């Protein structure tokens, strides 16, 4: 599995991804899942990938190949972020068209989802989730985060601490906590963690981090968070039991 | 969906369940999913159900029917908790045998899982998860909780606060927090919450609670927990960014 998330706030974007892939528990590897296709001063484009690795790698390779061609559309000449999302969705579709029948025959999961976050000059910053089918949805003020991969463990912390007005640095910490909660409960998600924070309207990724296994900050926040939860837990009001009165009978 | 969990500690058992069922978002109902089949002073038997409602209801009905028959095995005469778990698994198998082909034809999910917690005189307290296939596993000191249904949202809080030595009253609060985290992040899990706490070797369920929608304690712990998380979150150490140095390139 994998866990990637993107957060959009009034002041910018946070994108984060773990690096674990697995094809069964006896085939666990480490792969980069956060890719920066930005064009300095012009556009910021960050892509996170989850799902079938051969397909997501092929999509990333196709995006890179198009950038090297003298003509044709590519990540750097499409005029809007929505068109970039659709273009990536098109790459996904064409890879699935090629490989799906072969994978399906052997019962191999060919699904994958991508996140696209960024900003193109003349537009607001935006965040999209591109589905395996090539269609996409956009994060909005009401739902300022999107997740792909192993999404459930890390959702409660986002639901409880995050909104569109959250300061960007806090959103970045929230993303790390969400990934850490997932790693604690599910071995299919693991470091290195890649984290990028983008301040809207700067058109430059100025904050980017790779946290490997045992990174002191990762260790520190896990310890801090566990201690904080334990303290909070110990202070929880006692349950007022009403013995028997409402005993559910079989 | 549904979320039920059982916790076993050195001093007893906690079992908890929500009450929401859904067959699509336009068919949401409320059903009891925690059943008490205890026999006062002799044995405590608590069952939680998740999955296809027609099958779990049929299983519960079959268990009740056997109890009324003059002969034959039933929940009150089987000598060990393991045999009770296998007997329930057998009921599950026979219901699936009857209904599975008909459900499968229309692509309806017939899977369900049950939790069985309790204690029979002469034995230690125990906790089992009975799979849709009728087989079962037992919770142990190393993994003192078992979950069925929508399990992922509520797992981080268990992983971080619970172990076999946790006092029973704290384990009960932990179960409620786990359900509350799930309810906050997923609309397929909802009150009333049924909660039972059993002190080992008493052979009597003395603490049992039903928390309906808007219950003051549920409201109180949600507010308390959210405030505590926000305070903890605000105290989180700042990220030490190393700009550019580790920027992942697409």
């Amino acid at each position: 599995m994998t866990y990637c998330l993107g957060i959009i706030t009034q002041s910018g974007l946070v994108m984060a991804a773990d690096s674990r892939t697995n094809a069964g528990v006896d085939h666990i590897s480490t792969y980069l899942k956060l890719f920066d296709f930005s064009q300095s001063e012009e556009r910021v484009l960050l892509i996170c990938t989850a799902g079938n690795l051969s397909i997501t790698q092929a999509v990333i390779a196709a995006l890179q190949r198009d950038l090297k061609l003298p003509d044709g559309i590519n990540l750097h000449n499409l005029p809007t972020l929505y068109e970039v999302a659709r273009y990536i969705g098109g790459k996904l579709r064409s890879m699935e068209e090629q490989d799906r029948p072969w994978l399906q025959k052997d019962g191999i999961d060919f699904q994958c989802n991508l996140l696209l976050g960024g900003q193109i000059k003349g537009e607001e910053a935006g965040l999209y989730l591109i589905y395996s089918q090539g269609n996409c949805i956009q994060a909005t003020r009401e739902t300022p985060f999107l997740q792909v991969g192993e999404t459930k463990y890390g959702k409660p912390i986002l639901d409880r601490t995050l909104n569109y007005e959250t300061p960007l640095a806090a959103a970045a910490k929230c993303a790390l906590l969400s990934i850490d909660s997932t790693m604690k409960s599910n071995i299919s998600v693991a470091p290195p963690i890649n984290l990028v924070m983008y301040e809207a309207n700067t058109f430059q990724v100025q904050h980017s981090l790779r946290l490997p296994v045992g990174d002191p900050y990762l260790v520190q926040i896990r310890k801090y968070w566990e201690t904080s939860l334990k303290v909070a837990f110990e202070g929880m009001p006692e349950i007022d039991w009403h013995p028997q009165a409402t005993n559910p009978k079989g």
Side-chain angles (χ1 to χ4, degrees), chain A:
Chain A
M1 254 299 191
T2 288
Y3 177 39
C4 307
L5 79 162
I7 299 170
I8 188 159
T9 74
Q10 60 187 3
S11 44
L13 269 171
V14 171
M15 306 278 285
D18 84 313
S19 301
R20 179 157 285 180
T21 64
N22 69 299
V25 283
D26 56 351
H27 194 166
I28 284 177
S29 312
T30 300
Y31 283 92
L32 187 65
K33 299 173 199 168
L34 196 163
F35 302 89
D36 183 349
F37 282 97
S38 302
Q39 191 183 20
S40 186
E41 314 281 326
E42 284 299 324
R43 55 181 63 197
V44 165
L45 297 174
L46 299 158
I47 297 173
C48 292
T49 60
N52 185 296
L53 184 65
S54 75
I55 294 185
T56 58
Q57 282 193 343
V59 168
I60 296 295
L63 299 176
Q64 289 165 330
R65 213 160 40 232
D66 280 1
L67 278 172
K68 288 184 190 141
L69 293 178
D71 304 307
I73 57 167
N74 63 45
L75 289 174
H76 290 172
N77 62 21
L78 281 161
T80 67
L81 200 62
Y82 173 73
E83 283 164 277
V84 171
R86 295 297 299 189
Y87 159 73
I88 296 169
K91 295 291 177 200
L92 208 46
R93 286 177 179 172
S94 77
M95 273 319 299
E96 286 215 4
E97 240 165 28
Q98 285 179 54
D99 285 358
R100 184 171 173 149
W102 298 90
L103 298 174
Q104 210 157 19
K105 267 199 277 194
D106 285 337
I108 296 167
D109 190 3
F110 48 82
Q111 300 291 317
C112 44
N113 295 296
L114 285 84
L115 295 177
L116 166 69
Q119 186 176 19
I120 291 177
K121 263 204 172 150
E123 285 196 319
E124 305 272 289
L127 174 63
Y128 288 87
L129 192 166
I130 303 156
Y131 292 106
S132 216
Q133 293 73 24
N135 57 332
C136 61
I137 59 166
Q138 187 177 9
T140 62
R141 182 180 287 265
E142 293 74 29
T143 305
F145 63 88
L146 291 169
Q147 306 166 285
V148 292
E150 190 58 71
T151 62
K152 294 185 178 183
Y153 303 102
K155 189 165 180 283
I157 184 71
L158 301 174
D159 283 332
R160 280 181 151 139
T161 57
L162 196 71
N163 60 52
Y164 191 70
E165 284 72 38
T166 303
L168 202 54
K173 288 193 268 182
C174 187
L176 280 184
L177 270 188
S178 176
I179 292 187
D180 190 57
S181 292
T182 309
M183 293 193 299
K184 171 86 182 173
S185 289
N186 190 308
I187 60 151
S188 78
V189 176
I193 308 303
N194 284 292
L195 179 71
V196 170
M197 181 171 87
Y198 167 66
E199 284 167 59
N201 309 317
T202 63
F203 300 95
Q204 197 102 37
V205 171
Q206 280 163 327
H207 296 91
S208 155
L209 206 57
R210 181 180 176 276
L211 302 170
V213 182
D215 178 89
Y217 184 69
L218 269 188
V219 173
Q220 186 191 10
I221 63 162
R222 172 167 291 193
K223 203 173 161 193
Y224 170 80
W225 195 246
E226 290 194 348
T227 307
S228 303
L229 288 195
K230 274 180 194 149
V231 170
F233 183 60
E234 278 159 21
M236 248 186 91
E238 294 300 321
I239 298 176
D240 179 19
W241 296 95
H242 314 293
Q244 305 307 341
T246 51
N247 203 352
K249 273 293 165 201

